[in-house]
Amino acid sequence: MNKKLVSALLCGAMVLAATTPVMADGGAADGQKIALVGKSAGNAFFEIAAASFKDTVEAEGGEVEVVYPEAATADAQIKVLDNLISQDFDAICIAANDVNALQAKLEEAMDAGIKVSSFDSAPNKDSRQVFVNQAGTQQVGQALMDAVYDISGGEGQWAILSATSQAANQNAWIDVMKSVMEDEKYSKLELVEVAYGDDEPQKSTDQTAALLEKYPDLKVICAPTTVGIAAAAKYLQDNESACKLTGLGLPSEMQEYTGDDDAHSCPYFYLWDMQGLGTLSAYTTAALVKGDITGALDETFTAGDLGEYTITEADDGGTEVVLGEPLQFNSENIEEMAKLY
């Protein structure tokens, strides 16, 4: 990554972390009651974004209740939603565990006058008013596929260690990777399996072990999930595996595993501004409640110091707001970035 870009990102993130969020209109969330629903408890990525979301809304007089389902399943989230709908929330922002299974409950929420937004992982277009996307789906999939190509030397067996089989964001990135692979450039790479660790550390570890046992010549595992990549990184490094790793992870969890040498399991990986995602999701949700936006295509709004955003068309035909480009974390910037995330 360009050193000037890294410096700018660090400065921006430090300012974001150290200052109290101020909404553009002043009091834009005043009196709002918003529920933020995660995929499961213990996901460090979500917790960072959730803290930023909560700080942004509460700084303007709103109230945020962060709620976790009992498990990383659609059924568990449906139980959470059922409970929230009866509690007079102005909005629900959700990271969905399933694309379609939440539709009836989210439609019920919208019919009751509750605004519905989503971030990180979107329910289908009929289950939300707008999705806040951490990075363009095509951009993430392309970056991950190019990392697999680079780390493998452009040939050999590789595998994907995903979260749940129904996670919308995971499946969208994987679909892009498969599409990218159709190019002749990637013809010597063989995707042998997509495994699912369900965003559980132990299951992700077990799936990593199983992949290595089934495919002794495996060259790269790509884990587009912060839980999965951390579990796989530890297993590969502890067992001195020749198989390398890339994907999406938190610098603070990946620091000891990141390096372009035999001693480290992960040469480099990607993610995005987690605090920024939480902040943008808060501005977007508050704007829905206030009526500044409806989630319609081409609407614009100002997200405080993050600037002005335009609602665009999502891959599923619904609408989204895209935070920005995926960021690469490597041996040159991992130490500094681990202080932030």
Side-chain angles (χ1 to χ4, degrees):
M1 183 183 288
N2 182 283
K3 291 184 178 179
K4 291 183 178 179
L5 176 58
V6 171
S7 178
L9 288 168
L10 283 167
C11 291
M14 287 175 180
V15 169
L16 183 59
T19 58
T20 301
V22 179
M23 288 199 167
D25 296 333
D30 190 36
Q32 293 183 7
K33 184 180 176 184
I34 300 172
L36 182 61
V37 182
K39 292 179 179 179
S40 62
N43 186 316
F45 161 74
F46 179 84
E47 289 171 0
I48 291 169
S52 183
F53 186 107
K54 197 169 189 287
D55 288 346
T56 301
V57 173
E58 291 183 349
E60 289 301 314
E63 177 185 347
V64 175
E65 183 174 338
V66 182
V67 186
Y68 298 100
E70 293 180 353
T73 66
D75 287 343
Q77 283 191 322
I78 288 171
K79 290 180 182 178
V80 167
L81 292 170
D82 195 43
N83 187 43
L84 292 174
I85 290 170
S86 64
Q87 294 186 41
D88 196 32
F89 280 91
D90 295 301
I92 293 172
C93 181
I94 186 168
N97 277 329
D98 189 282
V99 178
N100 298 312
L102 306 177
Q103 181 171 336
K105 217 26 102 170
L106 290 173
E107 285 183 334
E108 181 182 335
M110 289 186 283
D111 288 343
I114 300 171
K115 306 300 182 184
V116 174
S117 63
S118 61
F119 80 100
D120 179 40
S121 182
N124 68 37
K125 63 185 180 66
D126 296 319
S127 303
R128 68 180 197 264
Q129 288 168 277
V130 68
F131 171 52
V132 182
N133 197 345
Q134 53 267 50
T137 301
Q138 184 68 37
Q139 295 166 323
V140 173
Q142 183 71 59
L144 293 176
M145 195 63 243
D146 285 341
V148 171
Y149 181 89
D150 175 42
I151 295 169
S152 68
E155 61 183 6
Q157 295 182 334
W158 69 287
I160 294 172
L161 175 62
S162 187
T164 67
S165 61
Q166 296 301 316
N169 56 348
Q170 302 283 312
N171 289 338
W173 297 326
I174 292 168
D175 285 345
V176 170
M177 295 178 76
K178 289 179 178 178
S179 177
V180 170
M181 278 189 70
E182 294 176 5
D183 189 287
E184 177 65 23
K185 172 182 176 180
Y186 308 93
S187 62
K188 294 183 179 180
L189 285 169
E190 179 189 1
L191 175 59
V192 293
E193 186 174 333
V194 179
Y196 298 97
D198 292 345
D199 263 352
E200 297 176 4
Q202 187 57 55
K203 186 170 183 180
S204 297
T205 299
D206 293 343
Q207 291 285 10
T208 301
L211 286 171
L212 294 176
E213 183 175 354
K214 289 169 69 175
Y215 310 104
D217 296 326
L218 195 66
K219 296 183 77 172
V220 179
I221 293 174
C222 179
T225 158
T226 58
V227 176
I229 195 173
K234 176 174 173 53
Y235 186 87
L236 292 173
Q237 193 155 307
D238 285 353
N239 289 276
E240 299 181 348
S241 174
C243 180
K244 294 297 182 181
L245 178 71
T246 191
L248 303 175
L250 287 165
S252 58
E253 294 182 344
M254 291 295 293
Q255 184 175 1
E256 66 180 293
Y257 309 115
T258 302
D260 192 16
D261 55 35
D262 291 340
H264 295 86
S265 57
C266 181
Y268 59 87
F269 62 99
Y270 293 88
L271 204 61
W272 34 81
D273 179 0
M274 290 79 75
Q275 289 176 321
L277 179 60
T279 299
L280 180 57
S281 300
Y283 282 118
T284 305
T285 306
L288 280 174
V289 175
K290 192 178 179 184
D292 291 342
I293 59 173
T294 65
L297 188 66
D298 295 329
E299 288 181 331
T300 61
F301 66 101
T302 301
D305 291 340
L306 295 180
E308 187 171 278
Y309 283 82
T310 299
I311 297 176
T312 58
E313 184 174 1
D315 292 340
D316 65 359
T319 60
E320 67 179 12
V321 180
V322 180
L323 176 64
E325 299 274 348
L327 308 177
Q328 185 188 110
F329 302 107
N330 52 50
S331 58
E332 293 184 3
N333 64 18
I334 188 73
E335 183 175 355
E336 289 183 285
M337 298 307 280
K339 297 174 185 176
L340 300 174
Y341 303 124

